[in-house]
Amino acid sequence: MNNRKYKITFTCAFLALLFSGVLAYGQQANRHRSSVTLEHGSKRLGKRTDPMMGVWRNYGLGQFIHWGLYAIPGGHWDGKYYSGAAEWIRSWNEMPKNAYDELYKVFDPKAYDPKAWAKQAKDMGAKYMIITTKHHDGFCLWPSQYTDYSVAKSPYNKDIIGPMVEAYDAEGIDVYLYFSVMDWNHPGYRSKLETKEDEEAYEGFKEFTRNQLLELLAFYPSTKGLWFDGTWDQAWIQQAAFADELEEEMRSVIPGLIIGSRFRADENGKRHFDTNGDLMGDYEQGWERKMPNRIEDVNGNDWDCVMTVPENQWGYHSDWKGHVKSSVELIEMMVKAASLDGNFVINFGPDGQGNIRPEESLIAKEVGEWMESNAEAVYDCGYLDWEKQDWGYYTRNRKTGNVNLVVFNYPASGKLRVKVPKGIKIQGIDLIGTNGGTIDLEEIHRDEYFLGLPKGTDHTKPVVLVMKIVEGDAEVQGVYEKAKI
Ligand code: FHN
């Protein structure tokens, strides 16, 4: 080793040591920011490192399906329009509760075709899906032996979930079961426990909840995880010990089971993050219809973002009003999620007959067409700590180390400015997708380049460039004399 190289190696090793020390100190400092000992807090500091969670982390794109009785009225009752989220229609003053609760008597989705749904999701590029087994209304899409309020008592009289799991499994799409703890149908359900009677009734509800969850895992053992919702009620928040024990039990039924931060609160009623600020569950589940902007916003945690196509409709509403997202908007959110180490999940709300609405089918088709040629900028990809540029997002492939440049704001000059951190060498760069041609790489400044895209590049859709890089020797890179500072 010559002297100069030795110096660099030594400096790097020293910096790495210093950095890991700072990091370790940071984690310690974080851990000791509050020194509360918790019995029902977070079970782990930092990310899960097992293979199953590695698969989750690399999904990139998922599909959410909200389907239940609310799809029958589809946001209308008695000629009146409900402006809230369709799946909440039962809580609307204009909706007679008994009429809603009788809807199961007409639940008979003749067009339900799980294989076609799964094929569409596959073509869209989804690697996982989340299905509402039971939403807040309490109606179960599987024949639960613990309630009569299920498909088994409807004219359809068949399991919805089983064939869906089978169809998605067959397409290689992992299935996650959405489950609302809040249940407007169960007699023991309470949002608050104000009396002795409430407490007694709620004990029955807890047992019912446990039974249903264990039943789901027993019926559908290929389930990869549970996606919880409706866990914000005071009554549930007070059940830290019960929920903690139940979580352990569920995890023992399906080893590797993935559960996000919405399931349980700690003993002080803290949700998502415990009293010490540590994440509860395997990933952060707080990004609903909103996204982080900077890597600092996700605190080093895994996370997903679940997104509606119109502003706030999950279940089927026949009359979408207001802004409806385009496929390019959703693609941009998906790429942004990948660039910040998260998964992106697009919601679908089939109608009461089991038809996927045409607007959602179009989204699935357009996202799928883009993914067909550009998915390598999303799957297996995560954050890259390069300075954010105005033209779009960088993602880095965790398996190949390649850097992807996903361009949403196409510069009028046709040239992209790329600022590369010191010590990085660009080895090659390719335009992927339907575009082709040679890219001009011009070093305009130390560690700064202009990439000229070929004439005729189709930029009506986001353009992806894949860059191979090597972590080289900063001292020898570049054609410019280094300024002596
Ligand atoms: O109230 C629900 C809503 O209907 C929908 O299911 C979303 C999906 O994330 N979750 C709840 C609100 O957080």
Side-chain angles (χ1 to χ4, degrees), residues 30 64 74 97 151 172 192 218 356 411 450:
N30 231 356
F64 210 150
K97 306 301 167 239
V151 274
K192 280 192 214 132
I356 306 263
F450 253 154

Side-chain angles (χ1 to χ4, degrees), residues 64 66 85 87-88 132 135-136 178 182 227 229-230 232 262 288 306 312 314:
F64 210 150
H66 273 71
E87 69 282 2
W88 276 81
T132 49
H135 204 263
H136 310 331
Y178 167 108
M182 177 158 90
W227 205 99
D229 204 359
W232 51 77
R262 282 193 193 194
E288 176 178 313
V306 292
N312 183 22
W314 298 92

Side-chain angles (χ1 to χ4, degrees), residues 273-432:
F273 295 92
D274 69 14
T275 307
N276 290 324
D278 297 320
L279 182 70
M280 308 268 288
D282 301 323
Y283 64 96
E284 192 193 342
Q285 241 183 316
W287 300 101
E288 176 178 313
R289 295 195 300 116
K290 61 181 182 199
M291 299 201 68
N293 279 317
R294 303 163 314 141
I295 195 71
E296 291 76 13
D297 298 339
V298 302
N299 297 306
N301 292 314
D302 285 312
W303 60 277
D304 74 354
C305 167
V306 292
M307 188 56 71
T308 49
V309 176
E311 201 37 48
N312 183 22
Q313 293 294 343
W314 298 92
Y316 175 75
H317 197 305
S318 60
D319 203 358
W320 277 355
K321 290 198 173 155
H323 180 66
V324 175
K325 295 173 195 80
S326 69
S327 53
V328 173
E329 275 175 88
L330 292 162
I331 291 169
E332 176 158 5
M333 290 176 184
M334 167 182 66
V335 171
K336 182 175 179 184
S339 80
L340 296 172
D341 279 343
N343 284 328
F344 187 69
V345 184
I346 304 177
N347 182 69
F348 287 62
D351 72 13
Q353 283 302 313
N355 299 297
I356 306 263
R357 66 192 303 146
E359 298 92 326
E360 289 171 352
S361 289
L362 182 65
I363 295 276
K365 179 173 167 288
E366 290 178 353
V367 172
E369 280 164 1
W370 188 83
M371 287 294 270
E372 202 178 337
S373 14
N374 298 297
E376 73 173 275
V378 177
Y379 299 150
D380 305 320
C381 286
Y383 175 68
L384 176 72
D385 61 347
W386 289 10
E387 192 180 306
K388 171 94 175 68
Q389 304 291 314
D390 293 337
W391 42 255
Y393 305 90
Y394 291 114
T395 64
R396 182 162 201 181
N397 191 298
R398 298 186 179 107
K399 294 187 174 154
T400 62
N402 287 345
V403 171
N404 305 298
L405 288 70
V406 192
V407 183
F408 288 91
N409 310 312
Y410 195 84
S413 64
K415 292 192 169 197
L416 307 182
R417 188 178 282 264
V418 174
K419 205 155 184 257
V420 169
K422 282 203 172 52
I424 300 285
K425 257 188 198 166
I426 299 176
Q427 217 178 29
I429 181 152
D430 282 318
L431 199 53
I432 60 166

Side-chain angles (χ1 to χ4, degrees), residues 97-365:
K97 306 301 167 239
N98 55 349
Y100 187 94
D101 295 344
E102 298 276 291
L103 284 173
Y104 76 95
K105 293 187 177 163
V106 292
F107 184 76
D108 193 13
K110 296 231 163 21
Y112 174 48
D113 181 352
K115 288 189 182 143
W117 289 15
K119 167 85 172 52
Q120 184 181 60
K122 172 86 174 180
D123 292 346
M124 179 173 81
K127 292 280 190 188
Y128 73 122
M129 70 88 71
I130 308 161
I131 173 67
T132 49
T133 59
K134 172 175 101 167
H135 204 263
H136 310 331
D137 62 5
F139 181 71
C140 302
L141 290 185
W142 82 101
S144 175
Q145 58 169 302
Y146 300 103
T147 177
D148 280 344
Y149 200 46
S150 86
V151 274
K153 289 284 180 309
S154 72
Y156 187 69
N157 192 20
K158 277 177 287 211
D159 184 11
I160 292 279
I161 302 299
M164 196 180 305
V165 173
E166 210 173 291
Y168 278 78
D169 278 354
E171 291 289 359
I173 298 174
D174 287 347
V175 176
Y176 289 71
L177 305 180
Y178 167 108
F179 184 93
S180 168
V181 170
M182 177 158 90
D183 183 326
W184 298 329
N185 186 262
H186 191 275
Y189 164 73
R190 300 283 186 280
S191 58
K192 280 192 214 132
L193 304 180
E194 290 171 324
T195 63
K196 191 97 198 98
E197 286 67 43
D198 285 344
E199 278 171 21
E200 277 165 20
Y202 205 70
E203 284 307 305
F205 174 68
K206 280 158 63 182
E207 200 45 35
F208 163 75
T209 302
R210 173 177 173 272
N211 285 338
Q212 285 209 317
L213 286 167
L214 296 177
E215 178 179 56
L216 279 171
L217 298 179
F219 279 11
Y220 315 112
S222 63
T223 300
K224 301 293 182 294
L226 292 163
W227 205 99
F228 284 101
D229 204 359
T231 52
W232 51 77
D233 289 326
Q234 268 316 311
W236 179 253
I237 290 174
Q238 287 161 19
Q239 312 306 323
F242 170 80
D244 193 358
E245 197 180 318
L246 178 54
E247 186 176 319
E248 293 286 305
E249 194 176 3
M250 293 186 293
R251 288 185 190 279
S252 71
V253 175
I254 299 188
L257 195 73
I258 294 177
I259 298 177
S261 63
R262 282 193 193 194
F263 181 55
R264 61 185 180 91
D266 76 2
E267 54 262 56
N268 301 313
K270 293 280 181 202
R271 300 178 64 235
H272 295 285
F273 295 92
D274 69 14
T275 307
N276 290 324
D278 297 320
L279 182 70
M280 308 268 288
D282 301 323
Y283 64 96
E284 192 193 342
Q285 241 183 316
W287 300 101
E288 176 178 313
R289 295 195 300 116
K290 61 181 182 199
M291 299 201 68
N293 279 317
R294 303 163 314 141
I295 195 71
E296 291 76 13
D297 298 339
V298 302
N299 297 306
N301 292 314
D302 285 312
W303 60 277
D304 74 354
C305 167
V306 292
M307 188 56 71
T308 49
V309 176
E311 201 37 48
N312 183 22
Q313 293 294 343
W314 298 92
Y316 175 75
H317 197 305
S318 60
D319 203 358
W320 277 355
K321 290 198 173 155
H323 180 66
V324 175
K325 295 173 195 80
S326 69
S327 53
V328 173
E329 275 175 88
L330 292 162
I331 291 169
E332 176 158 5
M333 290 176 184
M334 167 182 66
V335 171
K336 182 175 179 184
S339 80
L340 296 172
D341 279 343
N343 284 328
F344 187 69
V345 184
I346 304 177
N347 182 69
F348 287 62
D351 72 13
Q353 283 302 313
N355 299 297
I356 306 263
R357 66 192 303 146
E359 298 92 326
E360 289 171 352
S361 289
L362 182 65
I363 295 276
K365 179 173 167 288

